[in-house]
Amino acid sequence: MAERQDLAGKHIVLGLSGGVACYKAAELTRSLVKAGATVQVVMTEAAEAFITAVTMQALSNRPVYTSQWDARPGNNMAHINLTRERPQGRAAPSPPPEGDQEPWGGPAVPEGADAVLIAPASADFIAKLVQGRADDLLSLLCLARPAERVPLLVAPAMNREMWAHPATQRNVAQLRADGALVLGPAAGDQACGEIGDGRMLEADELRDELIASFQPKLLAGKKLLITAGPTFEAIDPVRGITNHSSGKMGFAIARAAQEAGAEVTLIAGPVHLPTPPHVRRIDVQSAQQMFDAVLPQAPLHDVFVATAAVADWRPAVMNEHKIKKDGKKLAPSFELTENPDILAAVASLPDKPWCVGFAAESQDLLTHAREKLLRKNVPLIVGNLGPATFGRDDNTLVLVDAAGHRELPAGDKLALARQLVAEIARRTAGV
């Protein structure tokens, strides 16, 4: 599948302060460029001790700036120009419709950087930002950037003791209070040989956090409960009844909802997918376990999205031991019993959330989706052809409600998830 272009049209100033995590900045630059962004690298003198400007220029395909005395700009004001000017040939994103706001609160602007990302941000550089010090090019441009339209994102990277120090924690708290978005840090092995908090996030994590920062916060203040993946109904200790659902659509919706500002709880069947950032995840196996996890949570949420492909039936009795061949070539038989209907149960609660159901069908999609809409008594059913989408990264969806149906253009699952989230936001506005 082609590389996603979630940062197409975006111009990012990437600042590197001193730290061994500068090696991750090389992969981050590559990742941002692949996602469609132009990247202007600015390095402190300390950063140059860890990685060369030549490397960063090769990866960004742009000259790297390292000094406030750089004479290349005609006005000799790199600290001003770097956040005001957009690279030649790179168009600014289209302005939003009248009345809409950019994710960071201001109207779209015709030129300039779209964000400043400091990765890595050392303890010393964070202190500079908080104190308003401006004794090098990178701290200068952070101080001089038009803060109302050029957000500052900071990815800390330092030893665990430095991160835990009260001075650092005070500085980070003040940095957030001043409007910066702090990304991480993560916990794990550190270059010094110690283990703990202070690792800079990985390149793909930082890329996704940057992408998320640009998404409109359409669900800010909302709580979403989402189910995803298949269920597994045990026949014996090693066998069971399941289906081909990969969970990718549900996980994409969880990511898109979190990007849109929602607080998200994801209840997942047995899948091998990483948890989307900042999403609370509960793992289950069977339909009954999913039911038991969903029902207490549902009244605490504003929206319930039932994406999971829940098995309709389960064995009435699970065999204690593996069912063995008996040599008579007779297939074993066992009685099935119906699983609880999770979506219908949530939709019948007195304090129910706004419900979205999914219908994965093999034929007559619209007919079955509309029947499900009426049977479950929910406002929206999202239909797709299961055999055509299970395990794939793309999908085709149709939205079915009491008024009719509408198809969403075929696309990758994250793009469709963002469209669905926008639809949910529109339909639940004021609810």
Side-chain angles (χ1 to χ4, degrees):
M1 212 175 158
E3 192 80 27
R4 291 188 55 86
Q5 295 288 292
D6 286 322
L7 293 174
K10 300 296 185 185
H11 178 52
I12 309 302
V13 174
L14 176 62
L16 281 62
S17 64
V20 70
C22 280
Y23 80 90
K24 293 183 181 180
E27 183 58 34
L28 174 59
T29 302
R30 185 179 179 88
S31 184
L32 297 180
V33 171
K34 279 186 174 182
T38 52
V39 180
Q40 176 60 65
V41 176
V42 179
M43 300 172 62
T44 65
E45 181 180 357
E48 291 186 90
F50 293 93
I51 193 168
T52 68
V54 172
T55 297
M56 300 309 296
Q57 178 172 332
L59 293 171
S60 65
N61 198 32
R62 296 183 58 77
V64 173
Y65 284 80
T66 60
S67 171
Q68 68 266 46
W69 312 119
D70 195 311
R72 280 175 292 179
N75 59 2
N76 220 320
M77 296 184 182
H79 67 290
I80 299 294
N81 301 344
L82 287 171
T83 57
R84 307 294 204 281
E85 295 180 354
R86 184 170 294 273
Q88 189 173 5
R90 173 65 61 144
S94 299
E98 186 176 351
D100 284 0
Q101 296 288 305
E102 288 290 282
W104 286 86
V109 295
E111 59 181 19
D114 294 290
V116 174
L117 170 60
I118 311 298
S122 65
D124 175 66
F125 195 79
I126 289 173
K128 281 188 179 185
L129 292 173
V130 170
Q131 296 163 15
R133 290 162 53 197
D135 57 359
D136 60 26
L137 176 59
L138 187 55
S139 57
L140 268 168
L141 76 85
C142 289
L143 195 63
R145 81 188 200 283
E148 73 283 357
R149 61 176 175 83
V150 182
L152 176 65
L153 295 85
V154 178
M158 65 195 73
N159 170 265
R160 64 186 181 88
E161 296 289 0
M162 296 170 68
W163 172 253
H165 195 283
T168 302
Q169 290 303 304
R170 285 196 303 271
N171 286 339
V172 170
Q174 186 60 53
L175 198 60
R176 289 192 175 105
D178 290 343
L181 181 59
V182 179
L183 310 178
D189 295 335
Q190 299 187 325
C192 58
E194 297 180 0
I195 299 173
D197 291 332
R199 279 177 61 95
M200 189 170 86
L201 298 183
E202 301 302 319
D204 58 347
E205 294 176 308
L206 289 174
R207 176 204 61 208
D208 289 348
E209 292 278 10
L210 182 62
I211 290 168
S213 74
F214 290 121
Q215 299 303 312
K217 305 308 177 207
L218 302 174
L219 290 176
K222 297 279 189 180
K223 293 184 177 181
L224 267 71
L225 179 64
I226 301 168
T227 63
T231 61
F232 183 89
E233 314 302 325
I235 296 172
D236 61 28
V238 297
R239 300 185 182 93
I241 300 170
T242 188
N243 57 63
H244 291 299
S245 174
S246 66
K248 290 180 178 179
M249 191 70 233
F251 275 62
I253 294 170
R255 174 180 167 179
Q258 192 281 322
E259 289 178 340
E263 182 181 325
V264 180
T265 298
L266 175 63
I267 299 178
V271 297
H272 300 285
L273 295 171
T275 307
H278 315 297
V279 168
R280 175 185 175 224
R281 176 172 174 175
I282 301 171
D283 287 318
V284 298
Q285 289 284 319
S286 67
Q288 186 63 54
Q289 289 173 345
M290 186 171 284
F291 179 89
D292 293 341
V294 167
L295 264 291
Q297 293 284 333
L300 308 177
H301 291 76
D302 301 294
V303 178
F304 174 51
V305 184
T307 318
V310 181
D312 293 321
W313 308 90
R314 69 178 187 274
V317 178
M318 189 190 91
N319 287 272
E320 183 178 357
H321 300 290
K322 178 183 175 182
I323 302 172
K324 304 290 289 184
K325 293 181 180 179
D326 60 6
K328 299 178 182 179
K329 297 185 178 180
L330 294 176
S333 61
F334 46 86
E335 183 181 353
L336 294 175
T337 187
E338 191 171 4
N339 273 322
D341 190 322
I342 298 172
L343 178 58
V346 171
S348 65
L349 291 172
D351 47 358
K352 64 186 177 183
W354 199 85
C355 294
V356 180
F358 265 67
E361 305 293 343
S362 60
Q363 60 178 349
D364 299 329
L365 176 59
L366 284 176
T367 299
H368 291 306
R370 185 155 299 285
E371 289 173 352
K372 190 169 187 175
L373 181 84
L374 299 174
R375 187 171 68 253
K376 309 281 188 179
N377 190 29
V378 296
L380 181 64
I381 291 289
V382 182
N384 60 192
L385 293 173
T389 185
F390 284 152
R392 294 176 58 91
D393 293 322
D394 58 336
N395 203 352
T396 301
L397 300 179
V398 58
L399 308 183
V400 180
D401 60 17
H405 70 274
R406 178 169 69 87
E407 290 189 14
L408 297 182
D412 66 81
K413 289 182 176 179
L414 181 55
L416 288 171
R418 287 173 178 155
Q419 292 182 62
L420 178 59
V421 160
E423 189 70 23
I424 291 171
R426 183 182 69 80
R427 291 171 183 249
T428 60
V431 174

